[in-house]
PDB file of all heavy atoms in Angstrom:
ATOM      1  N   ASP I1254     -19.334  14.081 -29.229  1.00 90.00           N
ATOM      2  CA  ASP I1254     -19.381  14.065 -30.701  1.00 90.00           C
ATOM      3  C   ASP I1254     -20.703  14.620 -31.224  1.00 90.00           C
ATOM      4  O   ASP I1254     -21.220  14.168 -32.246  1.00 90.00           O
ATOM      5  CB  ASP I1254     -19.164  12.643 -31.230  1.00 90.00           C
ATOM      6  CG  ASP I1254     -18.666  12.636 -32.673  1.00 90.00           C
ATOM      7  OD1 ASP I1254     -18.096  13.663 -33.098  1.00 90.00           O
ATOM      8  OD2 ASP I1254     -18.855  11.624 -33.367  1.00 90.00           O
ATOM      9  N   GLU I1255     -21.259  15.589 -30.511  1.00 89.00           N
ATOM     10  CA  GLU I1255     -22.472  16.259 -30.944  1.00 89.00           C
ATOM     11  C   GLU I1255     -22.128  17.630 -31.524  1.00 89.00           C
ATOM     12  O   GLU I1255     -21.136  18.243 -31.130  1.00 89.00           O
ATOM     13  CB  GLU I1255     -23.447  16.429 -29.770  1.00 89.00           C
ATOM     14  CG  GLU I1255     -23.982  15.115 -29.205  1.00 89.00           C
ATOM     15  CD  GLU I1255     -24.984  14.451 -30.122  1.00 89.00           C
ATOM     16  OE1 GLU I1255     -25.379  15.088 -31.128  1.00 89.00           O
ATOM     17  OE2 GLU I1255     -25.388  13.312 -29.857  1.00 89.00           O
ATOM     18  N   HIS I1256     -22.963  18.100 -32.447  1.00 90.00           N
ATOM     19  CA  HIS I1256     -22.680  19.354 -33.135  1.00 90.00           C
ATOM     20  C   HIS I1256     -23.872  20.315 -33.028  1.00 90.00           C
ATOM     21  O   HIS I1256     -24.119  21.106 -33.925  1.00 90.00           O
ATOM     22  CB  HIS I1256     -22.352  19.084 -34.606  1.00 90.00           C
ATOM     23  CG  HIS I1256     -21.201  18.146 -34.792  1.00 90.00           C
ATOM     24  ND1 HIS I1256     -19.906  18.564 -34.933  1.00 90.00           N
ATOM     25  CD2 HIS I1256     -21.154  16.778 -34.823  1.00 90.00           C
ATOM     26  CE1 HIS I1256     -19.095  17.522 -35.072  1.00 90.00           C
ATOM     27  NE2 HIS I1256     -19.840  16.423 -35.008  1.00 90.00           N
ATOM     28  N   ARG I1257     -24.579  20.237 -31.920  1.00 90.00           N
ATOM     29  CA  ARG I1257     -25.741  21.096 -31.705  1.00 90.00           C
ATOM     30  C   ARG I1257     -25.480  22.042 -30.527  1.00 90.00           C
ATOM     31  O   ARG I1257     -24.755  21.695 -29.602  1.00 90.00           O
ATOM     32  CB  ARG I1257     -26.979  20.246 -31.386  1.00 90.00           C
ATOM     33  CG  ARG I1257     -27.400  19.312 -32.500  1.00 90.00           C
ATOM     34  CD  ARG I1257     -28.513  18.375 -32.059  1.00 90.00           C
ATOM     35  NE  ARG I1257     -28.033  17.339 -31.156  1.00 90.00           N
ATOM     36  CZ  ARG I1257     -28.310  17.262 -29.867  1.00 90.00           C
ATOM     37  NH1 ARG I1257     -29.055  18.202 -29.295  1.00 90.00           N
ATOM     38  NH2 ARG I1257     -27.855  16.282 -29.121  1.00 90.00           N
ATOM     39  N   LEU I1258     -26.124  23.213 -30.543  1.00 93.00           N
ATOM     40  CA  LEU I1258     -26.008  24.147 -29.421  1.00 93.00           C
ATOM     41  C   LEU I1258     -27.023  23.836 -28.322  1.00 93.00           C
ATOM     42  O   LEU I1258     -26.863  24.284 -27.184  1.00 93.00           O
ATOM     43  CB  LEU I1258     -26.200  25.586 -29.906  1.00 93.00           C
ATOM     44  CG  LEU I1258     -25.086  26.144 -30.798  1.00 93.00           C
ATOM     45  CD1 LEU I1258     -25.389  27.587 -31.178  1.00 93.00           C
ATOM     46  CD2 LEU I1258     -23.737  26.060 -30.110  1.00 93.00           C
ATOM     47  N   SER I1259     -28.078  23.103 -28.671  1.00 92.00           N
ATOM     48  CA  SER I1259     -29.086  22.684 -27.687  1.00 92.00           C
ATOM     49  C   SER I1259     -29.612  23.845 -26.842  1.00 92.00           C
ATOM     50  O   SER I1259     -29.724  23.750 -25.613  1.00 92.00           O
ATOM     51  CB  SER I1259     -28.514  21.588 -26.776  1.00 92.00           C
ATOM     52  OG  SER I1259     -28.233  20.418 -27.521  1.00 92.00           O
ATOM     53  N   ASN I1260     -29.919  24.954 -27.522  1.00 93.00           N
ATOM     54  CA  ASN I1260     -30.536  26.111 -26.855  1.00 93.00           C
ATOM     55  C   ASN I1260     -29.628  26.699 -25.771  1.00 93.00           C
ATOM     56  O   ASN I1260     -30.101  27.176 -24.747  1.00 93.00           O
ATOM     57  CB  ASN I1260     -31.889  25.716 -26.243  1.00 93.00           C
ATOM     58  CG  ASN I1260     -32.881  26.875 -26.273  1.00 93.00           C
ATOM     59  OD1 ASN I1260     -32.517  28.018 -26.550  1.00 93.00           O
ATOM     60  ND2 ASN I1260     -34.136  26.589 -25.962  1.00 93.00           N
ATOM     61  N   PHE I1261     -28.331  26.669 -26.024  1.00 95.00           N
ATOM     62  CA  PHE I1261     -27.359  27.182 -25.052  1.00 95.00           C
ATOM     63  C   PHE I1261     -26.553  28.327 -25.657  1.00 95.00           C
ATOM     64  O   PHE I1261     -25.816  28.144 -26.625  1.00 95.00           O
ATOM     65  CB  PHE I1261     -26.411  26.058 -24.623  1.00 95.00           C
ATOM     66  CG  PHE I1261     -25.379  26.482 -23.600  1.00 95.00           C
ATOM     67  CD1 PHE I1261     -25.756  27.029 -22.391  1.00 95.00           C
ATOM     68  CD2 PHE I1261     -24.027  26.313 -23.859  1.00 95.00           C
ATOM     69  CE1 PHE I1261     -24.805  27.410 -21.446  1.00 95.00           C
ATOM     70  CE2 PHE I1261     -23.064  26.683 -22.920  1.00 95.00           C
ATOM     71  CZ  PHE I1261     -23.458  27.234 -21.709  1.00 95.00           C
ATOM     72  N   LEU I1262     -26.730  29.523 -25.119  1.00 94.00           N
ATOM     73  CA  LEU I1262     -25.925  30.696 -25.483  1.00 94.00           C
ATOM     74  C   LEU I1262     -25.925  31.002 -26.980  1.00 94.00           C
ATOM     75  O   LEU I1262     -24.916  31.477 -27.518  1.00 94.00           O
ATOM     76  CB  LEU I1262     -24.474  30.518 -24.991  1.00 94.00           C
ATOM     77  CG  LEU I1262     -24.242  30.254 -23.503  1.00 94.00           C
ATOM     78  CD1 LEU I1262     -22.754  30.267 -23.195  1.00 94.00           C
ATOM     79  CD2 LEU I1262     -24.962  31.282 -22.633  1.00 94.00           C
ATOM     80  N   GLN I1263     -27.047  30.759 -27.667  1.00 93.00           N
ATOM     81  CA  GLN I1263     -27.085  31.099 -29.099  1.00 93.00           C
ATOM     82  C   GLN I1263     -26.868  32.591 -29.326  1.00 93.00           C
ATOM     83  O   GLN I1263     -26.242  32.987 -30.304  1.00 93.00           O
ATOM     84  CB  GLN I1263     -28.420  30.676 -29.718  1.00 93.00           C
ATOM     85  CG  GLN I1263     -28.535  29.178 -29.936  1.00 93.00           C
ATOM     86  CD  GLN I1263     -29.755  28.609 -29.251  1.00 93.00           C
ATOM     87  OE1 GLN I1263     -29.981  28.903 -28.091  1.00 93.00           O
ATOM     88  NE2 GLN I1263     -30.528  27.807 -29.938  1.00 93.00           N
ATOM     89  N   TRP I1264     -27.401  33.405 -28.436  1.00 93.00           N
ATOM     90  CA  TRP I1264     -27.251  34.854 -28.550  1.00 93.00           C
ATOM     91  C   TRP I1264     -25.777  35.251 -28.413  1.00 93.00           C
ATOM     92  O   TRP I1264     -25.289  36.142 -29.104  1.00 93.00           O
ATOM     93  CB  TRP I1264     -28.089  35.539 -27.465  1.00 93.00           C
ATOM     94  CG  TRP I1264     -28.078  37.037 -27.490  1.00 93.00           C
ATOM     95  CD1 TRP I1264     -27.067  37.875 -27.088  1.00 93.00           C
ATOM     96  CD2 TRP I1264     -29.138  37.892 -27.946  1.00 93.00           C
ATOM     97  NE1 TRP I1264     -27.412  39.183 -27.245  1.00 93.00           N
ATOM     98  CE2 TRP I1264     -28.700  39.228 -27.773  1.00 93.00           C
ATOM     99  CE3 TRP I1264     -30.407  37.659 -28.462  1.00 93.00           C
ATOM    100  CZ2 TRP I1264     -29.485  40.322 -28.103  1.00 93.00           C
ATOM    101  CZ3 TRP I1264     -31.188  38.755 -28.782  1.00 93.00           C
ATOM    102  CH2 TRP I1264     -30.728  40.068 -28.607  1.00 93.00           C
ATOM    103  N   GLN I1265     -25.058  34.573 -27.508  1.00 93.00           N
ATOM    104  CA  GLN I1265     -23.714  34.994 -27.134  1.00 93.00           C
ATOM    105  C   GLN I1265     -22.597  34.352 -27.956  1.00 93.00           C
ATOM    106  O   GLN I1265     -21.439  34.761 -27.837  1.00 93.00           O
ATOM    107  CB  GLN I1265     -23.467  34.685 -25.643  1.00 93.00           C
ATOM    108  CG  GLN I1265     -24.362  35.442 -24.677  1.00 93.00           C
ATOM    109  CD  GLN I1265     -25.695  34.756 -24.410  1.00 93.00           C
ATOM    110  OE1 GLN I1265     -26.028  33.755 -25.032  1.00 93.00           O
ATOM    111  NE2 GLN I1265     -26.455  35.296 -23.474  1.00 93.00           N
ATOM    112  N   THR I1266     -22.886  33.320 -28.743  1.00 92.00           N
ATOM    113  CA  THR I1266     -21.807  32.558 -29.385  1.00 92.00           C
ATOM    114  C   THR I1266     -21.700  32.776 -30.897  1.00 92.00           C
ATOM    115  O   THR I1266     -21.097  31.968 -31.598  1.00 92.00           O
ATOM    116  CB  THR I1266     -21.986  31.047 -29.114  1.00 92.00           C
ATOM    117  OG1 THR I1266     -23.300  30.634 -29.533  1.00 92.00           O
ATOM    118  CG2 THR I1266     -21.792  30.724 -27.650  1.00 92.00           C
ATOM    119  N   CYS I1267     -22.253  33.869 -31.392  1.00 88.00           N
ATOM    120  CA  CYS I1267     -22.229  34.077 -32.851  1.00 88.00           C
ATOM    121  C   CYS I1267     -20.812  34.247 -33.389  1.00 88.00           C
ATOM    122  O   CYS I1267     -20.554  33.998 -34.571  1.00 88.00           O
ATOM    123  CB  CYS I1267     -23.101  35.263 -33.245  1.00 88.00           C
ATOM    124  SG  CYS I1267     -22.735  36.793 -32.388  1.00 88.00           S
ATOM    125  N   TYR I1268     -19.856  34.666 -32.554  1.00 89.00           N
ATOM    126  CA  TYR I1268     -18.473  34.811 -32.994  1.00 89.00           C
ATOM    127  C   TYR I1268     -17.518  33.940 -32.172  1.00 89.00           C
ATOM    128  O   TYR I1268     -16.344  34.255 -32.023  1.00 89.00           O
ATOM    129  CB  TYR I1268     -18.047  36.278 -32.912  1.00 89.00           C
ATOM    130  CG  TYR I1268     -18.815  37.178 -33.849  1.00 89.00           C
ATOM    131  CD1 TYR I1268     -19.703  38.124 -33.359  1.00 89.00           C
ATOM    132  CD2 TYR I1268     -18.679  37.046 -35.233  1.00 89.00           C
ATOM    133  CE1 TYR I1268     -20.424  38.932 -34.227  1.00 89.00           C
ATOM    134  CE2 TYR I1268     -19.398  37.846 -36.100  1.00 89.00           C
ATOM    135  CZ  TYR I1268     -20.268  38.790 -35.599  1.00 89.00           C
ATOM    136  OH  TYR I1268     -20.991  39.581 -36.451  1.00 89.00           O
ATOM    137  N   SER I1269     -18.038  32.849 -31.633  1.00 93.00           N
ATOM    138  CA  SER I1269     -17.216  31.955 -30.816  1.00 93.00           C
ATOM    139  C   SER I1269     -16.659  30.803 -31.655  1.00 93.00           C
ATOM    140  O   SER I1269     -17.264  30.393 -32.651  1.00 93.00           O
ATOM    141  CB  SER I1269     -18.052  31.363 -29.665  1.00 93.00           C
ATOM    142  OG  SER I1269     -18.599  32.383 -28.857  1.00 93.00           O
ATOM    143  N   LEU I1270     -15.523  30.288 -31.227  1.00 93.00           N
ATOM    144  CA  LEU I1270     -14.988  29.056 -31.819  1.00 93.00           C
ATOM    145  C   LEU I1270     -15.788  27.888 -31.262  1.00 93.00           C
ATOM    146  O   LEU I1270     -15.892  27.724 -30.044  1.00 93.00           O
ATOM    147  CB  LEU I1270     -13.511  28.895 -31.455  1.00 93.00           C
ATOM    148  CG  LEU I1270     -12.869  27.546 -31.819  1.00 93.00           C
ATOM    149  CD1 LEU I1270     -12.795  27.383 -33.338  1.00 93.00           C
ATOM    150  CD2 LEU I1270     -11.477  27.419 -31.211  1.00 93.00           C
ATOM    151  N   LEU I1271     -16.386  27.084 -32.144  1.00 94.00           N
ATOM    152  CA  LEU I1271     -17.168  25.922 -31.721  1.00 94.00           C
ATOM    153  C   LEU I1271     -16.297  24.683 -31.826  1.00 94.00           C
ATOM    154  O   LEU I1271     -15.823  24.342 -32.911  1.00 94.00           O
ATOM    155  CB  LEU I1271     -18.423  25.780 -32.584  1.00 94.00           C
ATOM    156  CG  LEU I1271     -19.346  27.004 -32.622  1.00 94.00           C
ATOM    157  CD1 LEU I1271     -20.552  26.745 -33.517  1.00 94.00           C
ATOM    158  CD2 LEU I1271     -19.793  27.384 -31.221  1.00 94.00           C
ATOM    159  N   ALA I1272     -16.087  24.005 -30.707  1.00 95.00           N
ATOM    160  CA  ALA I1272     -15.230  22.821 -30.671  1.00 95.00           C
ATOM    161  C   ALA I1272     -16.062  21.613 -30.269  1.00 95.00           C
ATOM    162  O   ALA I1272     -16.543  21.524 -29.136  1.00 95.00           O
ATOM    163  CB  ALA I1272     -14.081  23.029 -29.682  1.00 95.00           C
ATOM    164  N   SER I1273     -16.246  20.684 -31.206  1.00 95.00           N
ATOM    165  CA  SER I1273     -16.975  19.452 -30.921  1.00 95.00           C
ATOM    166  C   SER I1273     -15.967  18.331 -30.702  1.00 95.00           C
ATOM    167  O   SER I1273     -15.183  18.002 -31.589  1.00 95.00           O
ATOM    168  CB  SER I1273     -17.910  19.107 -32.079  1.00 95.00           C
ATOM    169  OG  SER I1273     -18.578  17.888 -31.827  1.00 95.00           O
ATOM    170  N   LEU I1274     -15.981  17.753 -29.493  1.00 95.00           N
ATOM    171  CA  LEU I1274     -15.032  16.695 -29.139  1.00 95.00           C
ATOM    172  C   LEU I1274     -15.747  15.339 -29.143  1.00 95.00           C
ATOM    173  O   LEU I1274     -16.877  15.227 -28.668  1.00 95.00           O
ATOM    174  CB  LEU I1274     -14.432  16.957 -27.759  1.00 95.00           C
ATOM    175  CG  LEU I1274     -13.735  18.320 -27.560  1.00 95.00           C
ATOM    176  CD1 LEU I1274     -13.180  18.432 -26.143  1.00 95.00           C
ATOM    177  CD2 LEU I1274     -12.633  18.525 -28.589  1.00 95.00           C
ATOM    178  N   SER I1275     -15.086  14.332 -29.660  1.00 94.00           N
ATOM    179  CA  SER I1275     -15.703  13.007 -29.752  1.00 94.00           C
ATOM    180  C   SER I1275     -15.768  12.300 -28.401  1.00 94.00           C
ATOM    181  O   SER I1275     -16.560  11.387 -28.203  1.00 94.00           O
ATOM    182  CB  SER I1275     -14.921  12.131 -30.743  1.00 94.00           C
ATOM    183  OG  SER I1275     -13.566  12.007 -30.334  1.00 94.00           O
ATOM    184  N   THR I1276     -14.954  12.736 -27.452  1.00 95.00           N
ATOM    185  CA  THR I1276     -14.941  12.099 -26.140  1.00 95.00           C
ATOM    186  C   THR I1276     -16.205  12.433 -25.357  1.00 95.00           C
ATOM    187  O   THR I1276     -16.798  13.504 -25.529  1.00 95.00           O
ATOM    188  CB  THR I1276     -13.704  12.547 -25.337  1.00 95.00           C
ATOM    189  OG1 THR I1276     -13.642  11.849 -24.106  1.00 95.00           O
ATOM    190  CG2 THR I1276     -13.762  14.035 -25.030  1.00 95.00           C
ATOM    191  N   ASP I1277     -16.654  11.518 -24.501  1.00 96.00           N
ATOM    192  CA  ASP I1277     -17.763  11.820 -23.601  1.00 96.00           C
ATOM    193  C   ASP I1277     -17.264  12.730 -22.482  1.00 96.00           C
ATOM    194  O   ASP I1277     -16.084  12.710 -22.124  1.00 96.00           O
ATOM    195  CB  ASP I1277     -18.339  10.529 -23.014  1.00 96.00           C
ATOM    196  CG  ASP I1277     -19.123   9.732 -24.044  1.00 96.00           C
ATOM    197  OD1 ASP I1277     -19.712  10.355 -24.941  1.00 96.00           O
ATOM    198  OD2 ASP I1277     -19.124   8.486 -23.955  1.00 96.00           O
ATOM    199  N   TRP I1278     -18.171  13.520 -21.899  1.00 96.00           N
ATOM    200  CA  TRP I1278     -17.767  14.542 -20.947  1.00 96.00           C
ATOM    201  C   TRP I1278     -16.909  14.024 -19.779  1.00 96.00           C
ATOM    202  O   TRP I1278     -15.896  14.651 -19.441  1.00 96.00           O
ATOM    203  CB  TRP I1278     -18.990  15.286 -20.399  1.00 96.00           C
ATOM    204  CG  TRP I1278     -18.589  16.249 -19.314  1.00 96.00           C
ATOM    205  CD1 TRP I1278     -18.785  16.129 -17.983  1.00 96.00           C
ATOM    206  CD2 TRP I1278     -17.860  17.473 -19.500  1.00 96.00           C
ATOM    207  NE1 TRP I1278     -18.243  17.189 -17.313  1.00 96.00           N
ATOM    208  CE2 TRP I1278     -17.671  18.034 -18.231  1.00 96.00           C
ATOM    209  CE3 TRP I1278     -17.360  18.140 -20.624  1.00 96.00           C
ATOM    210  CZ2 TRP I1278     -16.993  19.237 -18.039  1.00 96.00           C
ATOM    211  CZ3 TRP I1278     -16.694  19.342 -20.436  1.00 96.00           C
ATOM    212  CH2 TRP I1278     -16.509  19.874 -19.162  1.00 96.00           C
ATOM    213  N   PRO I1279     -17.248  12.919 -19.131  1.00 96.00           N
ATOM    214  CA  PRO I1279     -16.427  12.483 -17.992  1.00 96.00           C
ATOM    215  C   PRO I1279     -14.973  12.194 -18.349  1.00 96.00           C
ATOM    216  O   PRO I1279     -14.116  12.139 -17.448  1.00 96.00           O
ATOM    217  CB  PRO I1279     -17.141  11.200 -17.520  1.00 96.00           C
ATOM    218  CG  PRO I1279     -18.554  11.380 -17.952  1.00 96.00           C
ATOM    219  CD  PRO I1279     -18.444  12.061 -19.279  1.00 96.00           C
ATOM    220  N   GLU I1280     -14.679  11.995 -19.640  1.00 96.00           N
ATOM    221  CA  GLU I1280     -13.323  11.663 -20.060  1.00 96.00           C
ATOM    222  C   GLU I1280     -12.539  12.876 -20.556  1.00 96.00           C
ATOM    223  O   GLU I1280     -11.395  12.728 -20.996  1.00 96.00           O
ATOM    224  CB  GLU I1280     -13.377  10.592 -21.157  1.00 96.00           C
ATOM    225  CG  GLU I1280     -13.958   9.273 -20.665  1.00 96.00           C
ATOM    226  CD  GLU I1280     -14.105   8.240 -21.765  1.00 96.00           C
ATOM    227  OE1 GLU I1280     -14.630   8.597 -22.849  1.00 96.00           O
ATOM    228  OE2 GLU I1280     -13.709   7.084 -21.551  1.00 96.00           O
ATOM    229  N   ILE I1281     -13.136  14.058 -20.493  1.00 96.00           N
ATOM    230  CA  ILE I1281     -12.411  15.240 -20.934  1.00 96.00           C
ATOM    231  C   ILE I1281     -11.240  15.494 -19.995  1.00 96.00           C
ATOM    232  O   ILE I1281     -11.348  15.310 -18.772  1.00 96.00           O
ATOM    233  CB  ILE I1281     -13.333  16.482 -21.005  1.00 96.00           C
ATOM    234  CG1 ILE I1281     -12.649  17.607 -21.778  1.00 96.00           C
ATOM    235  CG2 ILE I1281     -13.774  16.937 -19.623  1.00 96.00           C
ATOM    236  CD1 ILE I1281     -13.559  18.773 -22.111  1.00 96.00           C
ATOM    237  N   GLY I1282     -10.111  15.871 -20.560  1.00 94.00           N
ATOM    238  CA  GLY I1282      -8.912  16.073 -19.757  1.00 94.00           C
ATOM    239  C   GLY I1282      -8.132  17.290 -20.203  1.00 94.00           C
ATOM    240  O   GLY I1282      -8.549  18.042 -21.090  1.00 94.00           O
ATOM    241  N   VAL I1283      -6.978  17.451 -19.613  1.00 95.00           N
ATOM    242  CA  VAL I1283      -6.173  18.637 -19.871  1.00 95.00           C
ATOM    243  C   VAL I1283      -5.726  18.724 -21.324  1.00 95.00           C
ATOM    244  O   VAL I1283      -5.626  19.811 -21.900  1.00 95.00           O
ATOM    245  CB  VAL I1283      -4.961  18.668 -18.908  1.00 95.00           C
ATOM    246  CG1 VAL I1283      -4.005  17.506 -19.185  1.00 95.00           C
ATOM    247  CG2 VAL I1283      -4.225  19.989 -19.013  1.00 95.00           C
TER     248      VAL I1283
END
Side-chain angles (χ1 to χ4, degrees):
D1254 202 23
E1255 295 287 352
H1256 303 268
R1257 297 173 287 110
L1258 291 181
S1259 295
N1260 213 349
F1261 181 57
L1262 304 186
Q1263 285 124 312
W1264 182 285
Q1265 296 87 354
T1266 55
C1267 54
Y1268 296 112
S1269 302
L1270 171 67
L1271 304 180
S1273 178
L1274 304 180
S1275 58
T1276 184
D1277 288 329
W1278 174 254
E1280 296 176 313
I1281 194 170
V1283 65

